[in-house]
Amino acid sequence: MSARCIMVLGTSSGAGKSWVATALCAWYRAQGYKVAPFKAQNMSNNARVVATPDGQWGEIGTAQYLQALAAGAVPDVRMNPLLLKPEADTRSQVVLFGQVDEALSAMPWRGRSLKVWPQIAQALDALRAENDVVVIEGAGSPAEINLHSSDVVNMRVARHCGAHCLLVADIDRGGAFAHLYGTWALLPPEEQGLIKGFVLNKFRGDAALLAPAPQMLQDKTGVPTVACIPMQFQHGLPEEDGVFDDRGSGGQGQAVHTCIAIVAYPRISNLDEFQPLLQLPGVRVVWARTPAQLSDADWVILPGSKATAADLGWMRQQGLDAAVARHAQAGKRVLGICGGLQMLGEALVDLHGVDGNAAGLGLLPLVTLFAPQKNVQPARLELPEVQAPWQALSGLVVTGYEIHHGQTELRLDMQAGAAEPAQELLPGQLWQGGAPQVLGTYVHGLFENAAVIHALFGHDAPSLDQVFARMAQGVGEWFGDHLP
């Protein structure tokens, strides 16, 4: 078997490649095909834990994880062989087939392609051999001509498998026809021939007003506009590029009863796990970067971070450290997840140059010792009795995942004389403060458990299966018979 390959390219980041690719995975699955997603290289701090061929646990980008679920496939490291996790503006941790590769991490950007391309091609070919359809996602734009010679994620992939390429533009930003034409025009002729259709994404308004532009564009390029996808508000999946909409959510048309402020530090990671909160009626989510944005919050969440010590320093520069402390002193809920948990402690100790040393916020009597080895594993928690205000979590069985450097330990010497000592509710995974409104965990994905959402908010978020079914139905309406 050699699968047909459909590739989703974009005129820019944020055009909607990940979402369109996920929708296509769901649609081809609904047509009865065996489907797999593929993205050669993803740059993201949003990752999920999947099994590796040697029986270990590794990481792939969240987008490919969700695409696999939409395709009805078991997520596999081959679906995203290269994951770049930014640690600073000019430095990324390189994850190859799920595992951190220190040698590649230290290598210049352009030097990596010669090393990784044979393995990328091998992974793609294996997926092609095992499936009827492979839905491939590109990265950024294929017309980034400064990177064309070292490309391993866009047109080099398309040429390798002879992909049927769709070029997506975000028409809501304006200039979509120029973006499409300019991207196509910057490609060499042999790559222009692989572009089989233009897609206008995030359209609002009367589609009849688009004429005669699609025909004019086809006259210039020979490429038809094969779909016009309406703006999909609250579509149920995380945005591909992180905090895409700083407006957060506004309660879904109902009176707001709970305001949740998620601190959006520069190296925030795994924020995709909060997507269910954005869809809850009566719940307002704010991506907070200033103390003022915490003032009206009922909850404060410190999410994961790819650079915990640096992000903690950023919080102090903004005055957010004092704002979080005031929030906790007022008896309001504070939840730290992974890097956020580490920040809640007394100290971060780094003897190996992994992340950096820093004083914590001092809201939990914990010390984190960073280690070179990354802890990557799925998690299943049977929650014990949890004190108020988190008592609704007591007795729940939840699943999630861990991705972190370092181990965290409760220090009894740091709470001598405390009226109410902090508790380690689950060894190495869950802690609650002597001030019980403060809770910290290493486990990502709590809010993706329907039982947690129902226990805390009394509502049910749409399931992923429901989301994928809507997407598959939409593809049939938007593309008609224009898909191979």
Side-chain angles (χ1 to χ4, degrees), residues 350-372:
D350 186 357
L351 304 178
H352 304 282
V354 174
D355 190 286
N357 298 290
L361 298 176
L363 297 179
L364 290 173
L366 307 174
V367 172
T368 295
L369 183 64
F370 288 113

Side-chain angles (χ1 to χ4, degrees), residues 238-287:
E239 296 293 346
E240 61 184 311
D241 291 315
V243 185
F244 181 79
D245 186 351
D246 280 348
R247 295 172 298 176
S249 69
Q252 297 303 295
Q254 296 192 15
V256 174
H257 56 70
T258 303
C259 179
I260 300 176
I262 303 173
V263 178
Y265 18 76
R267 299 300 168 194
I268 188 172
S269 68
N270 292 88
L271 75 165
D272 53 283
E273 65 181 302
F274 304 116
Q275 178 64 33
L277 299 180
L278 301 176
Q279 303 175 83
L280 291 175
V283 175
R284 180 172 180 243
V285 175
V286 176
W287 302 107

